[in-house]
Amino acid sequence: FYIDKISIENSRLDIHHFENSNKDFGLDLKQMTFSGFNVTVEDLRAYTDTVQMNINHLSLTDKSGFTLKDFSSGLHLSKQQLYFDDVDFTTARSKMAFRKIHFDVDSFKDFGQGGILSKVKMNIGCDKAELFLDELGYFAKVFENLDNKIELAGAFYGTIANLNARNLEIRYGENTLLKGKFDIIGLPDSKSTFLIFDTREFKTTTEEINSFK
């Protein structure tokens, strides 16, 4: 079937899992309450096991304070694929553009807690991300209160437990630049994680190193 356009304006969305995660910081993926929920979906097509649509101007604010000001993307969803293409999104402070954010799975059960680390295969092409690290604090506490902006580009693939990056470029401040690639195995267990980083170019200053906090 085909739907030309769906619009939702200034609504509230609650997503609650029957298990309480007891998370005491940031965005709790099992207990989410979104206010100011707005989205426009266009060209929604469904056939056999596949759904495709264009998502425009998705915005919301979670009870944690995390704010998505604008998100737009093409979406392709099937039994083994969750593909976002031509992705642009803006949060309260950050702005990012991706050629693609693709997830391949054997089944969507792989997104469950037991499989998301090792079974969900990612293929991400980042054109440019201007990211304030303190916003990552909604997802990982280690980034809380890090009031630093980095610029990031590159290609990322693999699983969280076996993640690879190529054509990586990270910029910070006026003088800090890192180019290279990495392979990281063992996440999220930091004690058994193994990192191989191949640096092609690196430059910085003492002042910018000291300002990173």
Side-chain angles (χ1 to χ4, degrees):
F1 66 88
Y2 173 79
I3 298 176
D4 180 60
K5 185 176 182 179
I6 301 171
S7 293
I8 299 173
E9 297 182 1
N10 198 26
S11 298
R12 171 176 165 147
L13 176 64
D14 292 278
I15 302 174
H16 296 284
H17 195 277
F18 66 90
E19 293 181 357
N20 193 332
S21 68
N22 296 316
K23 189 175 181 182
D24 62 353
F25 73 94
L27 197 152
D28 186 347
L29 297 179
K30 290 187 176 181
Q31 306 290 332
M32 294 183 290
T33 298
F34 299 121
S35 60
F37 178 66
N38 301 275
V39 66
T40 299
V41 174
E42 297 179 316
D43 297 326
L44 190 155
R45 304 172 187 269
Y47 46 93
T48 58
D49 68 340
T50 302
V51 176
Q52 294 179 328
M53 69 186 77
N54 293 319
I55 301 170
N56 297 309
H57 307 304
L58 169 64
S59 60
L60 51 83
T61 298
D62 181 63
K63 63 182 180 181
S64 66
F66 175 77
T67 298
L68 181 63
K69 295 178 68 174
D70 187 72
F71 175 93
S72 297
S73 172
L75 171 64
H76 171 100
L77 176 65
S78 66
K79 288 182 178 180
Q80 296 179 312
Q81 297 171 330
L82 176 59
Y83 287 1
F84 297 93
D85 291 290
D86 298 320
V87 180
D88 288 289
F89 69 91
T90 305
T91 65
R93 305 184 72 192
S94 304
K95 187 174 182 179
M96 308 180 200
F98 296 85
R99 293 186 305 280
K100 60 182 178 181
I101 303 175
H102 288 182
F103 302 99
D104 288 282
V105 294
D106 292 328
S107 78
F108 272 79
K109 292 181 180 179
D110 291 345
F111 281 101
Q113 188 172 8
I116 192 169
L117 299 176
S118 59
K119 295 182 179 180
V120 178
K121 301 177 183 67
M122 301 178 291
N123 189 347
I124 300 173
C126 177
D127 293 324
K128 184 177 182 180
E130 296 179 356
L131 175 64
F132 282 86
L133 295 180
D134 63 338
E135 290 195 313
L136 292 179
Y138 289 107
F139 306 93
K141 200 166 187 176
V142 68
F143 292 103
E144 281 187 325
N145 304 317
L146 277 180
D147 190 23
N148 303 103
K149 185 185 83 167
I150 64 169
E151 295 182 7
L152 174 69
F156 306 85
Y157 63 93
T159 64
I160 293 176
N162 189 356
L163 183 63
N164 309 279
R166 297 294 182 267
N167 300 317
L168 181 65
E169 185 172 311
I170 301 173
R171 296 180 181 271
Y172 172 67
E174 296 294 327
N175 302 292
T176 300
L177 171 64
L178 174 63
K179 293 183 179 181
K181 62 181 181 179
F182 72 73
D183 301 304
I184 184 167
I185 302 170
L187 289 174
D189 185 356
S190 59
K191 293 182 179 180
S192 62
T193 296
F194 185 66
L195 171 66
I196 302 173
F197 202 107
D198 183 0
T199 303
R200 194 170 76 244
E201 180 180 352
F202 177 64
K203 62 180 181 180
T204 189
T205 63
T206 303
E207 291 78 9
E208 289 191 346
I209 291 175
N210 292 332
S211 72
F212 195 88
K213 57 184 179 178

